Amino acid sequence: MLGEITDSFSPLRRTHSPPDLDDAASKICRVTVEEVEDEDGTYNRRFFESYPNAGRPIDEGKTVFESYCQHKEDEGEDVWAPFADEEEWGLAEWMIKNLGQTRTDEYLKLPITKNRTKPSFHNNRTFLKRVDELPHGASWSCKKVMVQGNREDEDGQSLSEEVEIWMRDPVECVKDLIGNPSFKNHMAYAPSRAYKDKGGSERLIDDMWTADWWWDKQKELPEGATLAPIILASDKTLLSQFRGDKSAWPVYLSIGNIAKEKRRQTSARATILIGYLPATKLDCFTSDARSLAGYRLFHHCLSLLLEPLIAAGRDGVEMVCADSFIRRVYPILAAYVADFPEQCLVACCKENRCPKCLVAADERGNPLNSLMRDPESTKETLERRRNGQHPVEFDEDGLRAVYRPFWANLPHTNIFTAFTPDLLHQLHKGVFKDHLVKWCLDIAGEDEIDARFKAMPDYPGLRHFKKGISSVKQWTGTEHKEMQRIFVALIAGAVPSRVVVVARAILDFCYYAQLHTHTSESLDGLENALTVFHAHKDVLKELDVRDHFNIPKLHQLSHYIQSIKLFGAADGFNTELPERLHIDFAKEAYRASNKRDYEEQMVLWLQRQEAIFWRVSYLEWVAEHGAQTEHQYGYDSDSDAEEDFDFVPVVSQDIVHVLAKTPPHPQQSIQHLETMHGAIDFLPAFKSFLRKYVPHNHIVPGYQDRFDVFRQAVIIIPPNPRVSELPKRLRVRATPEVLPSPSGRKPGSPARFDMALLTDGVRASKLYTLEAVQVAQVRVIFTLPRQFGSYSRPLAYVEWFTPFREPDQFSGLRQVSRSTRHLRRNGAVVHVDELVRPCHLVPKMGQKVDPSWTSANVYEMASNFYFNEFIDLDTFCVSSAIT
């Protein structure tokens, strides 16, 4: 049964405060989402099919914040204890985050600190004693593991090595997460199926609770049970950059109950560190045995770390949840986030095989539907091998002789389906940068590709590769994504048309895979993109660019659709998050140590940092319960604010247009606009505007008039659930060239007259397709001078482009040209609130780019353009008509 959601709250907001537990149980699957009014006045709602009797409360309880608050009241302690007052607490928070132990002692010994600040702690030891009184998460412990090698010393004795594994109880960590009141409005306790329509014909998949794995796994648990899908991530990382070879192997844990947009926020600490695996070189083994020994040690240590999950996943554990209700929670390993080598390590298979399926080592480049690996048959094969048998499946499946995998006894766990898409290493760095870009460089030549990057026109927030790309030695994930935004249009003409088809297919796959919400339409888009690639990839063999396509990362793309259906959108499982967490949980912790026996010092430092974070969260919770705090609105932005903006000028139905409070360039002459802004037909266009929109005006405009001019308009677009949970803040710039200062101390800047999509004479409301919009270049943003009457809507002088022509046969990109009238550019004055969003055009460069073209002049010199639908995910969705 589908229930229509009529409340207008933020996604996943829930209300669990009724005293009647039966009433609470009836509401646990109720999920509310933000409604969006359509143009016809109706609302675009989600409809949900809730899993019956899942996540049912069994009693009322107190969260950790509520219990701590009660404890302080019972003890008669001040809210700031063990610190003297709010100011001392603020000082302590600053010190623990910014000062090491030596600097803390130095600061506390300063006369101004002792005589004026007068803190209640006088040295680093007493200060840390106060910090250690604060509550924190699950405690750390250390286990030592003796590794017996196969090498011998000079006396013929076998060499051995003692390693340490630092760990926290994962069940206690799950309790901390599921019971954190900070996540109350971002927490789900039961699976639901979401649909776009009341009939349930169009499925929506975003968070884990809307996907299939949780729904199917719930059937294996007792009625009323609450499932906590555990998401593990591990990744070995270097700690010392320029000297030494110190490494750490952190293991992170989160739960699928928490909304993925919250899990992705590193500041929210919804993903926590649960252990450090030993990152030893295993010198006690010979070189030929060291790799297998490393496999076995990894699994042994991880089995020690995750052992508490066996009983908890089988029998369940009562936990106080974030909504103050007690539930029986079953923590079950659902997803494992890792790069490809670590996936093979976890799967106990060789790196020339797929860790998810049984595809042959030499067939990974073909679009095959191979059987998935099965945990039970894999365990049986390994056990037979351990007993001295030689099962053919051992070699056929590419297994390593790891006889006790850590996942062998974890209940309800299929480790092979648990591996999630790795957007960073498989798509951005792998298939795109390491392969597609290299292929195109080999075909077109580095000089030609570099010249095209140099001539690429500007766009707000787009990185300009001023020197091309061939000389760049080290790339980041951000730079890979910046290249993707322009790559299809950039190579069109430089490489054979069939290669453009291949590139378009790969970029389509990349963009579909990044969507935050999926439907059958977007999943079909993923499948179609992969099909098109395989249908045309042989052109690369014909051009002698590739001998084969037996590429591990390319094969992994065939598993994306299954993973999304099982666990939700891929943005919730990206390896970029663990790599970012390395900074906080490994590298910063290592810097705080004395570099000797550093892991023990690291966990103590992390425990103190966690205690401070916990106290900050607690004080925020106290403040929220004491008084209603003012809601702050967040935005996705393409850059930092450059001007002081006011929200008064224009407010349309859904899109908000914002100008600066005061014009940066007041009283500009028409001659200035013609020469510096290139608005050559400003005066006749302005006269035409007055005749149409200010018919009662009798003043004839002329060169004596002055106009208040703005540098840019900011367009705030409501959130598109496919792309972001926050409104997006976009800029449309109209700034003339700034020459360098005579002294040369202040560099100049090129003119920036951005392209934008405009509606046909009506206020911009929303944009779901490209049917009713047209491209124009914005030359001037201004307000109507007072002598022509009172007019509240800001204006813009634009130069029109032709309506969209049919997409290019190979790149699939729409084409436009400049619109002319009487052999002059077709200019017009329009309302700023007719701007829908900025857009990006890429000139058609042909086989060889014109050497006179630069990023600054190409919009003026080129005649024909591609509409770049890859400039961002929003534009991609609109261009592909993804609703």
Side-chain angles (χ1 to χ4, degrees):
M1 180 180 179
L2 302 184
E4 182 180 337
I5 305 306
T6 57
D7 303 87
S8 182
F9 295 115
S10 62
L12 295 178
R13 185 175 297 280
R14 297 158 187 271
T15 52
H16 287 295
S17 55
D20 182 16
L21 290 177
D22 291 333
D23 187 32
S26 69
K27 296 185 178 183
I28 56 178
C29 290
R30 185 166 181 263
V31 182
T32 60
V33 300
E34 191 173 279
E35 298 174 331
V36 180
E37 188 175 1
D38 287 335
E39 293 173 353
D40 59 2
T42 62
Y43 281 86
N44 178 21
R45 300 188 181 102
R46 287 186 175 191
F47 300 85
F48 292 89
E49 178 186 3
S50 300
Y51 193 99
N53 291 321
R56 187 172 61 206
I58 57 178
D59 202 350
E60 291 186 81
K62 289 185 177 181
T63 65
V64 62
F65 286 175
E66 291 169 334
S67 299
Y68 184 65
C69 184
Q70 185 65 52
H71 167 75
K72 294 185 78 68
E73 290 179 4
D74 294 343
E75 297 294 322
E77 291 184 353
D78 181 78
V79 68
W80 308 109
F83 300 98
D85 50 32
E86 182 177 2
E87 290 184 349
E88 186 171 284
W89 154 248
L91 175 64
E93 182 186 1
W94 175 81
M95 289 170 60
I96 202 71
K97 289 181 178 179
N98 296 283
L99 300 182
Q101 297 190 38
T102 302
R103 296 295 185 187
T104 299
D105 264 330
E106 291 175 357
Y107 173 77
L108 293 175
K109 289 177 182 178
L110 290 173
I112 193 172
T113 306
K114 293 191 292 185
N115 300 329
R116 294 191 185 182
T117 307
K118 296 181 179 179
S120 60
F121 37 84
H122 308 295
N123 53 39
N124 180 67
R125 185 181 62 81
T126 56
F127 167 62
L128 293 180
K129 190 175 180 181
R130 297 285 177 85
V131 174
D132 291 339
E133 292 179 32
L134 297 174
H136 53 77
S139 298
W140 287 90
S141 63
C142 176
K143 283 190 177 181
K144 296 183 184 293
V145 176
M146 183 62 68
V147 181
Q148 194 73 33
N150 67 342
R151 290 179 59 193
E152 296 181 349
D153 60 15
E154 296 175 353
D155 299 326
Q157 300 294 318
S158 296
L159 293 176
S160 61
E161 185 176 343
E162 186 178 69
V163 298
E164 294 180 346
I165 171 173
W166 287 88
M167 63 179 70
R168 309 163 89 181
D169 188 332
V171 176
E172 293 300 314
C173 292
V174 171
K175 285 183 180 180
D176 290 343
L177 289 172
I178 204 167
N180 190 334
S182 302
F183 302 144
K184 178 180 178 181
N185 295 332
H186 306 273
M187 189 78 70
Y189 303 108
S192 295
R193 286 177 174 162
Y195 301 92
K196 287 178 65 176
D197 61 309
K198 196 169 186 176
S201 61
E202 185 74 20
R203 180 91 177 270
L204 291 171
I205 298 175
D206 46 24
D207 269 295
M208 187 179 277
W209 56 270
T210 66
D212 291 338
W213 181 90
W214 193 339
W215 185 281
D216 295 338
K217 200 61 63 176
Q218 192 77 41
K219 300 173 184 176
E220 302 175 17
L221 302 180
E223 184 176 347
T226 301
L227 199 156
I230 289 180
I231 304 167
L232 285 184
S234 62
D235 182 36
K236 191 175 181 179
T237 183
L238 281 174
L239 296 175
S240 50
Q241 241 178 342
F242 303 110
R243 60 180 182 176
D245 55 355
K246 306 296 185 184
S247 298
W249 204 326
V251 181
Y252 303 105
L253 179 146
S254 188
I255 54 175
N257 309 78
I258 303 172
K260 59 186 173 70
E261 71 268 16
K262 180 61 66 173
R263 294 202 313 269
R264 289 200 307 268
Q265 298 173 12
T266 55
S267 60
R269 300 214 174 194
T271 300
I272 58 179
L273 179 71
I274 65 166
Y276 286 123
L277 302 179
T280 177
K281 293 182 179 180
L282 292 176
D283 291 329
C284 57
F285 286 91
T286 57
S287 58
D288 60 330
R290 195 169 295 145
S291 175
L292 179 58
Y295 265 64
R296 290 173 172 173
L297 178 62
F298 171 86
H299 280 269
H300 177 69
C301 292
L302 210 48
S303 65
L304 294 176
L305 175 62
L306 302 180
E307 184 179 9
L309 291 178
I310 298 175
R314 184 183 61 242
D315 305 325
V317 178
E318 289 189 5
M319 299 184 186
V320 180
C321 298
D323 59 358
S324 300
F325 285 103
I326 299 173
R327 294 176 173 85
R328 179 162 289 278
V329 177
Y330 291 77
I332 296 171
L333 177 58
Y336 202 113
V337 180
D339 59 18
F340 180 77
E342 196 133 339
Q343 288 183 6
C344 294
L345 172 62
V346 171
C348 306
C349 72
K350 298 176 181 177
E351 289 189 17
N352 67 343
R353 305 299 293 266
C354 174
K356 293 177 69 71
C357 73
L358 295 173
V359 63
D362 58 350
E363 293 183 350
R364 288 174 294 175
N366 300 322
L368 304 173
N369 291 320
S370 302
L371 289 174
M372 298 298 292
R373 292 182 182 271
D374 178 65
E376 295 304 319
S377 60
T378 300
K379 287 189 290 185
E380 180 185 349
T381 300
L382 292 173
E383 184 63 25
R384 288 165 60 195
R385 176 79 173 196
R386 181 188 178 191
N387 293 333
Q389 302 178 39
H390 298 281
V392 294
E393 295 87 353
F394 184 85
D395 292 321
E396 288 180 353
D397 298 351
L399 297 176
R400 302 291 297 266
V402 180
Y403 302 129
R404 295 186 179 89
F406 75 84
W407 40 263
N409 297 318
L410 292 177
H412 309 289
T413 294
N414 183 334
I415 196 64
F416 305 117
T417 59
F419 299 126
T420 54
D422 180 0
L423 298 179
L424 175 62
H425 296 100
Q426 292 169 358
L427 282 183
H428 302 316
K429 183 181 183 302
V431 174
F432 174 72
K433 172 59 178 64
D434 293 344
H435 297 291
L436 177 62
V437 173
K438 183 180 181 301
W439 298 337
C440 292
L441 283 169
D442 291 343
I443 294 170
E446 292 182 354
D447 292 342
E448 178 63 23
I449 296 296
D450 284 345
R452 289 169 179 252
F453 272 104
K454 294 174 187 177
M456 187 59 53
D458 192 33
Y459 178 85
L462 176 67
R463 169 166 178 179
H464 180 216
F465 294 89
K466 297 178 182 179
K467 298 180 180 180
I469 62 169
S470 61
S471 60
V472 179
K473 301 302 181 186
Q474 192 167 1
W475 293 88
T476 66
T478 300
E479 289 166 331
H480 299 148
K481 287 181 255 188
E482 288 295 304
M483 291 173 61
Q484 290 173 14
R485 299 174 70 181
I486 56 176
F487 198 74
V488 172
L490 179 137
I491 64 168
V495 298
S497 55
R498 289 169 63 195
V499 178
V500 177
V501 174
V502 169
R504 169 77 199 217
I506 290 176
L507 267 296
D508 275 344
F509 193 97
C510 289
Y511 274 60
Y512 277 117
Q514 293 178 71
L515 294 180
H516 293 198
T517 301
H518 283 278
T519 63
S520 57
E521 182 183 11
S522 61
L523 294 177
D524 288 345
L526 273 172
E527 186 172 9
N528 180 64
L530 203 55
T531 301
V532 171
F533 169 80
H534 283 296
H536 294 85
K537 66 186 179 185
D538 284 345
V539 66
L540 299 168
K541 288 184 178 180
E542 297 168 13
L543 295 170
D544 293 328
V545 175
R546 287 292 303 183
D547 296 327
H548 64 85
F549 294 95
N550 194 32
I551 303 170
K553 292 174 182 176
L554 179 61
H555 169 75
Q556 293 303 308
L557 307 192
S558 64
H559 296 300
Y560 272 46
I561 295 175
Q562 181 201 36
S563 290
I564 291 170
K565 288 180 177 179
L566 282 176
F567 301 114
D571 67 296
F573 306 97
N574 202 348
T575 53
E576 285 182 270
L577 176 60
E579 294 202 357
R580 171 61 184 83
L581 292 175
H582 287 340
I583 298 174
D584 296 331
F585 293 125
K587 300 180 188 296
E588 291 292 338
Y590 176 73
R591 293 190 191 105
S593 73
N594 64 9
K595 316 301 185 293
R596 294 186 299 272
D597 299 324
Y598 52 86
E599 286 187 330
E600 182 176 4
Q601 299 171 56
M602 287 168 66
V603 298
L604 181 57
W605 184 85
L606 288 169
Q607 183 170 287
R608 287 168 175 159
Q609 295 289 325
E610 185 179 66
I612 294 294
F613 179 83
W614 193 95
R615 171 55 71 92
V616 170
S617 300
Y618 169 72
L619 292 175
E620 290 174 352
W621 176 82
V622 170
E624 288 174 4
H625 282 67
Q628 185 67 34
T629 55
E630 184 178 354
H631 178 59
Q632 299 294 320
Y633 209 40
Y635 297 97
D636 278 352
S637 173
D638 55 27
S639 77
D640 295 331
E642 296 180 0
E643 301 176 16
D644 186 15
F645 290 101
D646 188 358
F647 282 78
V648 174
V650 183
V651 179
S652 60
Q653 182 184 4
D654 288 324
I655 297 177
V656 178
H657 298 76
V658 185
L659 298 183
K661 290 182 179 179
T662 56
H665 306 290
Q667 299 297 301
Q668 300 294 309
S669 67
I670 292 179
Q671 184 178 9
H672 173 84
L673 301 182
E674 290 177 344
T675 56
M676 298 304 295
H677 287 256
I680 54 177
D681 286 330
F682 180 87
L683 188 55
F686 183 60
K687 289 178 179 178
S688 177
F689 175 85
L690 290 178
R691 287 194 297 269
K692 182 176 181 180
Y693 290 99
V694 194
H696 301 297
N697 167 67
H698 300 295
I699 300 175
V700 179
Y703 281 91
Q704 72 281 358
D705 293 309
R706 297 290 186 270
F707 296 83
D708 291 341
V709 176
F710 298 81
R711 284 198 287 261
Q712 62 181 356
V714 173
I715 305 175
I716 300 174
I717 301 176
N720 175 0
R722 288 301 191 88
V723 173
S724 174
E725 294 77 21
L726 294 174
K728 190 169 284 289
R729 184 178 180 274
L730 305 172
R731 295 182 296 148
V732 177
R733 304 164 300 180
T735 58
E737 180 183 9
V738 177
L739 298 175
S741 63
S743 65
R745 297 182 65 182
K746 290 187 177 180
S749 61
R752 293 185 175 94
F753 301 111
D754 288 333
M755 302 292 172
L757 293 175
L758 277 74
T759 58
D760 187 15
V762 296
R763 293 192 180 199
S765 170
K766 51 179 67 71
L767 181 62
Y768 295 136
T769 69
L770 295 176
E771 290 181 1
V773 294
Q774 195 166 336
V775 176
Q777 186 174 26
V778 180
R779 290 282 184 178
V780 187
I781 300 171
F782 64 100
T783 52
L784 189 73
R786 292 182 180 178
Q787 64 265 30
F788 298 107
S790 176
Y791 203 79
S792 61
R793 297 168 70 183
L795 307 174
Y797 174 80
V798 303
E799 292 175 348
W800 291 107
F801 281 67
T802 59
F804 291 118
R805 298 195 294 274
E806 284 296 313
D808 176 73
Q809 178 183 357
F810 304 105
S811 68
L813 299 176
R814 294 170 176 83
Q815 305 172 76
V816 295
S817 304
R818 283 197 178 271
S819 175
T820 58
R821 179 186 298 169
H822 307 304
L823 301 180
R824 295 173 66 87
R825 291 185 179 181
N826 185 5
V829 172
V830 300
H831 297 98
V832 166
D833 56 27
E834 295 172 29
L835 274 65
V836 180
R837 60 179 298 119
C839 67
H840 189 232
L841 302 183
V842 178
K844 299 180 71 172
M845 301 181 188
Q847 289 187 350
K848 295 288 183 181
V849 64
D850 189 326
S852 65
W853 287 2
T854 67
S855 178
N857 68 20
V858 68
Y859 274 154
E860 306 303 319
M861 299 187 69
S863 301
N864 299 302
F865 300 84
Y866 291 116
F867 175 76
N868 183 13
E869 61 193 64
F870 292 100
I871 194 62
D872 57 37
L873 271 175
D874 271 307
T875 305
F876 178 77
C877 289
V878 170
S879 302
S880 305
I882 303 174
T883 57

